[in-house]
Amino acid sequence: MHLAAHFPGVNATTVWADPRSRSQIDFSSFVHLARTAERGKFDFFFLAEGLRLREHNGRIHDLDVVGRPESLTVLNALAAVTERLGLAATVNATFNEPYELARRLATLDHLSAGRAAWNVVTSSDAFTGENFRRGGYLDRADRYTRAAEFVATARELWDSWTPGGESRPFAHEGEQFTISGEFTVPRSPQGHPVVIQAGDSSEGREFAASAADIIFTRHGTLEAGRDFYADVKARLAAYGRQPDDLKIMPGVTVVTGDTDAEAQERAYEIRRQQVSPQNAILAAEQLWGTDLSAYDPDGPLPEIDPVLDSGLVKGRVLYGDPVGVVARWRAVAEAKGLSLRQTVIETTTRQSFIGSPQTVAAELTAFVDERAADGFILVPHLTPGGLDDFVDRVVPLLQESGAFRSEYSGSTLRSHLGLAEPVWKG
């Protein structure tokens, strides 16, 4: 299986109240998690992106004040303190330009000796667009059209240098970009940095099948994972690709204990830390679209209907069907006799794999063996030491069973993932 480490940060899954929690912006925190991942022989280290501080009811969302440093800058620094670990940056295709980003990614690939990856994301949010000269936003269909041409254009730029080290002029003319000139960075060790696509929508799946090396997804059960895996892998043939050309890696959380029962107790306590009374009200307001500060988080769910398109929350992906989600929350609360806070805990913060190290290792292996995933992107709840226990206790079991590597067999991220170097198309 393949394993990656997601740096925990500004989302509600991070437990900042834990006394072991440290800075989300100090370089030492990035170093700790990256070195832990490399000690565990992980494929890559993954950084998310935020292009604007989110707002809630007219105020900065308090989890965002810890900041979101620019990903590629952090990874260039980490290249100097790691040797084999892949370095993946989330960079938006809506508010960047191909030449500039292709140059930055090729530079990281050179500095890291072939370990760079780009997680391609899009944005249709006008609130985020206000931070940029272009402003505005793109419709859902248009953002994937732009992203697809963006990736294709970047690859044209990377291919404008021959494998032998000769530079050739490039010229691209399309609906989204018309550029020409000469690329300043020679062909990098991997040929092209690895491309990751994050998304579960039909558009995202199709984009991944056509252009990505990894798809970062989420599915909570083995059955849902198998369905997603089969669907995405089946789309590859239309683009002349083989099933192993795209790795499916869901984001997961893990809680371990000496026994399964102890792990369940730890997982419940983590969920209670993640969903404080204040966070429960915050989560409910994001769904209902209105101020719920007068409600008791330990009382029942609000009886009012959600306010659609209220603008209460800005800079966050909103629920696509708040009326339907509210109905499901009410059904869960009624069936189990849950308060508002308990309902938020029940419906929004469920750890993926909980148990003893032996149980977790067996369940992870089963997901891969039964074609529900090719690997996993681990999202710890603690910055920066949340990966320590997994690397110390679960990884050795995976290695002993042969499910995971004991040593790196190559030096580039493509070699870790078993991906061929792209054929030069100059």
Side-chain angles (χ1 to χ4, degrees):
M1 71 178 66
H2 300 286
L3 294 175
H6 186 292
F7 185 79
V10 301
N11 293 313
T13 51
T14 307
V15 179
W16 294 108
D18 192 298
R20 296 167 296 171
S21 179
R22 297 292 182 265
S23 172
Q24 192 261 344
I25 196 169
D26 285 352
F27 186 55
S28 61
S29 292
F30 295 103
V31 171
H32 181 107
L33 191 74
R35 284 180 168 167
T36 301
E38 188 164 68
R39 177 165 58 84
K41 313 303 179 187
F42 277 40
D43 293 66
F44 61 93
F45 172 95
F46 183 92
L47 280 178
E49 179 184 64
L51 295 179
R52 180 164 181 171
L53 295 179
R54 296 167 291 185
E55 292 184 7
H56 186 98
N57 204 13
R59 296 179 296 178
I60 296 295
H61 186 263
D62 60 357
L63 289 176
D64 275 18
V65 298
V66 293
R68 292 193 178 205
E70 198 279 317
S71 297
L72 282 169
T73 303
V74 174
L75 295 184
N76 278 314
L78 287 177
V81 296
T82 56
E83 295 181 354
R84 299 289 186 91
L85 184 70
L87 303 168
T90 303
V91 186
N92 196 291
T94 304
F95 301 119
N96 283 281
E97 298 296 328
Y99 182 88
E100 180 187 13
L101 183 54
R103 189 167 176 251
R104 291 161 62 201
L105 287 163
T107 299
L108 174 61
D109 208 43
H110 276 286
L111 293 179
S112 64
R115 297 184 280 137
W118 170 26
N119 179 40
V120 184
V121 296
T122 63
S123 176
S124 59
D125 182 74
F127 176 74
T128 301
E130 291 173 358
N131 268 0
F132 296 86
R133 175 179 57 82
R134 185 184 304 109
Y137 65 99
L138 296 176
D139 290 334
R140 185 178 187 88
D142 292 339
R143 61 179 180 168
Y144 279 109
T145 299
R146 178 183 171 88
E149 188 175 333
F150 197 122
V151 173
T153 306
R155 285 173 167 156
E156 290 176 27
L157 296 171
W158 293 325
D159 278 343
S160 67
W161 280 76
T162 71
E166 179 185 353
S167 172
R168 297 184 178 182
F170 66 84
H172 175 92
E173 184 172 352
E175 293 182 3
Q176 301 293 323
F177 311 104
T178 299
I179 58 175
S180 61
E182 292 189 359
F183 196 55
T184 62
V185 185
R187 191 169 178 84
S188 65
Q190 294 187 109
H192 302 166
V194 169
V195 171
I196 306 170
Q197 153 68 10
D200 287 338
S201 67
S202 179
E203 298 98 327
R205 298 181 190 201
E206 199 67 27
F207 179 42
S210 68
D213 301 304
I214 301 169
I215 183 167
F216 178 21
T217 180
R218 57 183 177 185
H219 39 68
T221 66
L222 184 65
E223 181 179 0
R226 282 198 297 244
D227 289 345
F228 181 89
Y229 191 98
D231 176 67
V232 173
K233 296 284 186 175
R235 297 173 187 246
L236 291 165
Y239 301 98
R241 306 181 70 195
Q242 300 299 315
D244 285 343
D245 291 342
L246 176 66
K247 309 300 181 183
I248 296 176
M249 299 182 67
V252 302
T253 56
V254 174
V255 179
T256 60
D258 290 339
T259 65
D260 290 352
E262 180 183 307
Q264 289 289 347
E265 291 177 4
R266 287 190 63 196
Y268 178 73
E269 181 55 33
I270 290 169
R271 290 199 296 272
R272 282 184 55 83
Q273 289 177 304
Q274 290 169 335
V275 184
S276 65
Q278 296 90 336
N279 277 346
I281 293 295
L282 201 72
E285 288 180 342
Q286 291 164 3
L287 178 56
W288 264 267
T290 190
D291 188 334
L292 301 177
S293 58
Y295 284 79
D296 180 2
D298 294 319
L301 271 63
E303 295 181 356
I304 60 176
D305 293 330
V307 178
L308 304 180
D309 302 321
S310 69
L312 182 80
V313 179
K314 294 183 178 180
R316 177 187 290 276
V317 177
L318 302 178
Y319 291 95
D321 177 21
V323 174
V325 176
V326 165
R328 288 195 294 273
W329 280 27
R330 286 177 174 153
V332 170
E334 182 177 355
K336 299 186 177 184
L338 303 180
S339 68
L340 172 58
R341 183 185 181 195
Q342 289 170 331
T343 303
V344 175
I345 291 173
E346 179 72 19
T347 57
T348 65
T349 55
R350 179 69 63 186
Q351 276 76 18
S352 308
F353 296 95
I354 305 170
S356 68
Q358 293 79 7
T359 296
V360 169
E363 291 182 351
L364 291 171
T365 302
F367 262 68
V368 175
D369 287 346
E370 298 189 34
R371 293 180 172 83
D374 293 311
F376 309 92
I377 298 177
L378 273 67
V379 186
H381 72 279
L382 189 63
T383 306
L387 196 65
D388 295 6
D389 191 58
F390 182 89
V391 168
D392 291 337
R393 305 185 69 188
V394 179
V395 167
L397 298 177
L398 295 172
Q399 293 170 329
E400 288 171 12
S401 70
F404 186 62
R405 69 173 67 88
S406 295
E407 294 293 340
Y408 290 111
S409 59
S411 60
T412 69
L413 178 54
R414 287 187 178 276
S415 66
H416 304 341
L417 294 166
L419 297 172
E421 182 174 323
V423 176
W424 180 65
K425 297 179 180 178

